[in-house]
Amino acid sequence: MEPWPPVDDDRLTAELVAALWDSAGVPEDHLAAARAAFAERTTDTELVLAELTFDSALAEPAGLTRSSGSARSLCFRGDGIVLEIEVSDAGIVGQCSPAGRGRVSARTVSGIYDEATVDAVGLFSLGVPPTGPVQLRAYSGEYAVATDWVCLR
């Protein structure tokens, strides 16, 4: 094992130069996601941002493994609004709080991939999310909220 930082300054300089001038660039799907997220922050200023506050994929104790068929739970919160979802192989089920009728949509960087009605107790269901970043938006008579962009699969 070599010491850190390396004692050979020339080798370290060469590695830094190579890292800075990496010609591979940023993958196009990452650039598209970044552009879409950046553009959205000014088009819907009435939307409350609900930040991710819980993700069961990150809350597992070390050493335990998840089965491939298990559901993933996420919770988003913002300005008194809570959006909880469960993602499984069958799709997304969720609940908005405060409860009330409305609509929820799921977006990718390409646009909306699914929409659903929110019932009187705040429940909704959506189709299976595609790979890549997804944002949920929920609208009712009381609020309009957008979640952080998150990869659900």
Side-chain angles (χ1 to χ4, degrees), residues 87-99:
V87 183
S88 70
D89 293 338
I92 299 171
V93 293
Q95 184 169 20
C96 300
S97 178

Side-chain angles (χ1 to χ4, degrees), residues 98-117:
R101 295 189 183 280
R103 300 239 1 117
V104 66
S105 63
R107 314 169 46 86
T108 66
V109 296
S110 303
I112 295 173
Y113 84 85
D114 199 3
E115 288 185 285
T117 301

Side-chain angles (χ1 to χ4, degrees), residues 21-86:
W21 294 106
D22 182 9
S23 63
V26 178
E28 188 56 41
D29 59 334
H30 288 77
L31 292 173
R35 287 185 196 107
F38 192 69
E40 288 299 319
R41 77 186 172 98
T42 57
T43 58
D44 288 316
T45 55
E46 77 281 356
L47 287 173
V48 170
L49 178 63
E51 296 178 352
L52 181 65
T53 59
F54 176 78
D55 184 346
S56 65
L58 304 175
E60 294 291 328
L64 295 181
T65 57
R66 297 174 58 85
S67 69
S68 61
S70 64
R72 178 179 171 194
S73 299
L74 297 99
C75 182
F76 300 88
R77 295 177 184 271
D79 200 24
I81 303 163
V82 178
L83 183 64
E84 294 180 295
I85 63 171
E86 187 173 279

